[in-house]
Every structure is written in structure tokens, then in C-alpha cells.
Amino acid sequence: MNEKEIGELRRRLRPDKSNISRVWGCYVNERHEIISQFNESLSMMTAEDGEKFLSLFRKVLTGGVGRNLLDLSFRTQQVVDGEEHRLLMNLRDSRLEDEAEVQKFFSRAIQSIDLEGNFLVLLTYDTYDVYYKGKDDVMQKDNSTEEFRHILCSICPVKESKPSLNYNNRESKFHLQAALQVVGNPEMGFLFPAFDDRATNIYNALYYTRNIEENHEDFVDAIFKTEVSMPAMVQKETFQTVLSETLEEECSYDVVQQVQDRLTQMIDIHKESKEPEPLTISKQGMRAVLSASGVSDEHVEAFDERFDAEFGVNTELSPRNLVDTKRLEVKMPDVTIQINPERSELLQTRIVDGAKCLVIRVSEDVEVNGVPIQIGEDNKS
């Protein structure tokens, strides 16, 4: 799924736009024991409560594609007779009205969730009349192409607040309020089936993880029995390690800077083009980036082999997961320097009197702990 398709569904999750009528919930303690369950009608809730539940489902459709939002693909055999896929289809086709299937899902999900403390598992069902959209992106509401029927799942931590003094308007006094069980934003969740090319795709699901360092693989395995891509932060760390170890002596500041600049430029061009499909780069693309950055053929080949070993053959990565476009950081045990990526030329490496040095060209005012300082000929030391 791309950003436009995800945004189209997310914008519908409002009381006046969605067709959601009920929300299933299962509240679980830290020992994975069910505390309570509910199956509530949105129309019977207060407007505030209903909007809060919908906001927890909206969160599952937010974040970066390829970072927080990941496409999961089922194998053909799974779609034909896979137990996990069959359960998801049954939940959708029954509109969550088959309680036995809902309980089966809750049981499977609860045992695989690795959150600390209590948590809440939410499920809902929605239908969407997909209107035809022309080249001008204007929907023709008298021309529906299909009905997109889907389920949404949101899994949220529940934390206990601290006792606090609260003001009572009627009494005009402050009173101590006991600790409350507060539902936090979801840590994970999913949409099934996927909404690809603005149509139903039962071969895919869209998976959400709040933490780009953790993909909750046990949950994905239990619910989808399929592989999930390496967490975005792990991709970045792995890429950095592969770059350092395969380029060896060629892994200089200039080379790393050029690699970052070229990947950042790809990201900027993709953003300006407003291309809806997520930006990815293949191993061949990375070879071109390294060669253009001055890396020798020998070390490009070494990177090539290590790429397959770490990421997998034919894997494509998101450049957004590999570089930080908003900062350039040079770090040593006792010194950390942060540079605007657009001004990376201000820093250079030099050998001065036999010592390895980082040289920063001063072109503007300089402050030390907020104190403006002067740098002149008499400050050479």
C-alpha cells in the first residue's frame, strides 16, 4: 500500500464518515490473563468515547511506509488453505459477529504479545464504498467501483497513572484522585486485507509497529505466519556496519558524506515528484551510489556480497531507513559534532603535524556554552 491509499482509509475513521458500528475489546494483564472483554456499539457511547476509540484505530494507519507501516504478503498456499489466513477471512466475512472466531483470535494474539504490563486488544470491522477517482484525483461519488470490507486491530498498552490532586468544579476544591488505568497509543496493529490500487487484496495485510526498533515478530508469526522485514532502525545499523566493514580503508568521511548526500537527494527528488509508491533502492542501486561516491570496484563487490548475506537476495530497502536526512553526526568517545547535512563541506579531515584532525571551517558566529567567542590570528592555539 502507498501513502495515498493509507491516507484515504485513515481519513474515514471519523464518527460521521466510517461505517463502524461496534468495537470488540479484550483487556489483558501482565500474566496474559484476560481481565475483561466487551463488544460495544459506537452509537451507545458518548461522542468523546467513540472518537477516542476511533483515534486508536487511526494511529494504526499512521507513520512512515517501510518504517512503521509494513506490507505483509501471504503465500498462495496460505490463501488456499492456511489456518492463519482462514481465521482473518472468517473475522472479516462474519463482520466480527462470530464470537467463537473472535475468541480464537484473541487467544492467539494474547499469547504472542510481548508488551510489558497490561494491554488492550481492539478489533473492529468497516466497509467502504470505493468511488472511482479520475486522473485529477477527484472522486466521482455516483460511480462506486467496489465495496472494501476489512478489519482493523489495535493493540495498546495500559498504564496506571499516579494518584494526583484534581480540581472539583462543583465543590471548588482539590481532591486526591486514585490511580487510573490509562490506555496509551497502540504499539502494534494491522489492517486486513490490504487496500492495494484502491482495491481489496487478500494476499496482503498492512502491519503497524510504533517502535522502529521492534517489529514484534512473535505476534506477526502467530497471526500471519509470514515474514516481516527487518526493523527500520536495525536496517540502518546493519547498513552502517556493512558499509564500514566492506569499504575498510576507503570508508572515509568524504565517502560516507557522499553516500549520505546521494541517498538524501534520492529522497528529496521522490518527495518533490509526489510519486505515491514508496521509494526503495536495490542492491544494484547501492552499487551505483558507492561507485559514484568514489568506492573502488573491489570494495563495491565486497559490499555486494555482504548485502545479500545481511538483507537477503533481491531485497530492496527504503533509503529513509538508511540515513538521517536531518542531521550529520561525527562522534568520538569524548566529542560529538552535529552538522547541518546541507553544510557538510564545513567539516574536513586533515593530518596536522602527524596527528589525525577534524577541521571545521568557521564562517559565522561561534559560541561556547552560549558565550560568543572571537577567533583570529592571535587565537591560533
Side-chain angles (χ1 to χ4, degrees):
M1 290 178 63
N2 60 46
E3 291 180 0
K4 281 189 175 181
E5 293 159 348
I6 295 167
E8 185 174 342
L9 295 182
R10 183 176 60 246
R11 288 188 293 272
R12 293 193 63 261
L13 293 173
R14 302 287 180 183
D16 59 334
K17 293 184 178 180
S18 77
N19 291 315
I20 293 175
S21 61
R22 308 190 70 81
V23 174
W24 272 95
C26 185
Y27 183 30
V28 183
N29 66 21
E30 59 186 2
R31 295 185 298 276
H32 287 202
E33 298 168 342
I34 296 175
I35 298 174
S36 66
Q37 290 192 48
F38 59 85
N39 178 13
E40 293 190 16
S41 167
L42 242 62
S43 62
M44 299 298 290
M45 298 181 189
T46 64
E48 293 80 9
D49 287 349
E51 167 57 27
K52 185 57 182 177
F53 275 110
L54 289 179
S55 75
L56 295 175
F57 289 113
R58 281 199 302 274
K59 289 288 185 181
V60 172
L61 299 178
T62 59
V65 176
R67 291 173 63 79
N68 310 96
L69 296 166
L70 308 172
D71 278 316
L72 299 181
S73 298
F74 293 99
R75 299 181 303 278
T76 301
Q77 194 58 40
Q78 282 184 286
V79 176
V80 173
D81 61 8
E83 180 183 354
E84 292 77 18
H85 190 274
R86 184 166 54 250
L87 174 58
L88 294 172
M89 288 295 291
N90 289 345
L91 291 172
R92 187 200 69 156
D93 292 343
S94 69
R95 302 172 182 259
L96 297 181
E97 293 177 1
D98 187 330
E99 186 171 351
E101 293 294 275
V102 172
Q103 296 304 324
K104 186 187 297 184
F105 172 81
F106 281 153
S107 176
R108 184 170 293 179
I110 289 168
Q111 298 308 314
S112 64
I113 292 172
D114 57 355
L115 300 181
E116 292 183 3
N118 297 0
F119 57 88
L120 177 65
V121 183
L122 296 173
L123 267 180
T124 195
Y125 168 84
D126 193 12
T127 61
Y128 174 35
D129 285 327
V130 184
Y131 296 112
Y132 175 77
K133 185 185 290 188
K135 293 181 179 180
D136 55 1
D137 268 359
V138 176
M139 290 190 186
Q140 301 178 11
K141 295 192 175 182
D142 58 345
N143 186 3
S144 178
T145 57
E146 73 164 276
E147 183 182 60
F148 177 57
R149 300 181 297 116
H150 56 282
I151 58 174
L152 277 164
C153 174
S154 180
I155 299 171
C156 310
V158 180
K159 304 292 185 181
E160 187 172 276
S161 67
K162 294 182 180 180
S164 59
L165 283 173
N166 286 266
Y167 184 71
N168 186 299
N169 283 321
R170 286 186 299 176
E171 299 180 14
S172 298
K173 292 181 179 180
F174 285 91
H175 294 285
L176 182 66
Q177 181 171 312
L180 300 173
Q181 301 293 311
V182 180
V183 178
N185 288 331
E187 286 290 330
M188 59 188 122
F190 66 86
L191 163 78
F192 175 84
F195 187 55
D196 287 326
D197 295 326
R198 304 186 69 241
T200 301
N201 178 5
I202 64 171
Y203 285 81
N204 279 59
L206 183 70
Y207 175 65
Y208 167 82
T209 176
R210 185 191 66 81
N211 186 354
I212 61 173
E213 298 182 15
E214 174 61 68
N215 279 353
H216 306 283
E217 292 183 7
D218 289 344
F219 176 77
V220 173
D221 183 66
I223 302 303
F224 304 98
K225 209 67 177 181
T226 188
E227 293 184 359
V228 61
S229 60
M230 186 184 292
M233 187 58 69
V234 179
Q235 286 184 30
K236 183 178 181 180
E237 294 169 352
T238 303
F239 174 74
Q240 292 168 340
T241 300
V242 171
L243 203 64
S244 172
E245 294 181 356
T246 58
L247 269 57
E248 298 178 328
E249 73 280 357
E250 290 187 11
C251 194
S252 64
Y253 171 76
D254 290 339
V255 167
V256 172
Q257 173 204 332
Q258 287 194 54
V259 169
Q260 164 134 348
D261 287 348
R262 292 177 193 281
L263 292 176
T264 299
Q265 186 179 32
M266 290 175 59
I267 295 169
D268 291 341
I269 292 173
H270 181 266
K271 184 176 181 180
E272 291 173 3
S273 71
K274 300 188 184 301
E275 170 64 41
E277 294 304 317
L279 173 66
T280 60
I281 186 168
S282 63
K283 181 178 67 175
Q284 289 70 30
M286 278 307 310
R287 286 177 62 97
V289 167
L290 294 178
S291 295
S293 302
V295 178
S296 66
D297 291 344
E298 175 187 354
H299 286 106
V300 170
E301 290 298 329
F303 177 90
D304 200 328
E305 294 179 10
R306 187 72 178 276
F307 184 98
D308 285 345
E310 296 292 343
F311 297 110
V313 179
N314 299 323
T315 296
E316 295 193 356
L317 303 175
S318 169
R320 289 183 174 86
N321 294 347
L322 306 181
V323 295
D324 190 333
T325 60
K326 296 182 179 179
R327 70 170 184 169
L328 183 63
E329 183 178 88
V330 180
K331 193 171 184 179
M332 296 178 288
D334 300 316
V335 179
T336 298
I337 303 170
Q338 291 190 355
I339 309 162
N340 180 343
E342 296 180 359
R343 300 302 309 278
S344 58
E345 78 282 354
L346 294 177
L347 180 67
Q348 297 178 341
T349 56
R350 290 283 186 271
I351 302 295
V352 180
D353 296 332
K356 298 177 181 178
C357 298
L358 294 173
V359 180
I360 303 175
R361 178 164 55 86
V362 177
S363 58
E364 299 175 2
D365 296 336
V366 179
E367 295 182 358
V368 176
N369 286 344
V371 180
I373 65 169
Q374 301 299 320
I375 300 178
E377 289 298 318
D378 56 342
N379 299 124
K380 291 181 179 179
S381 60

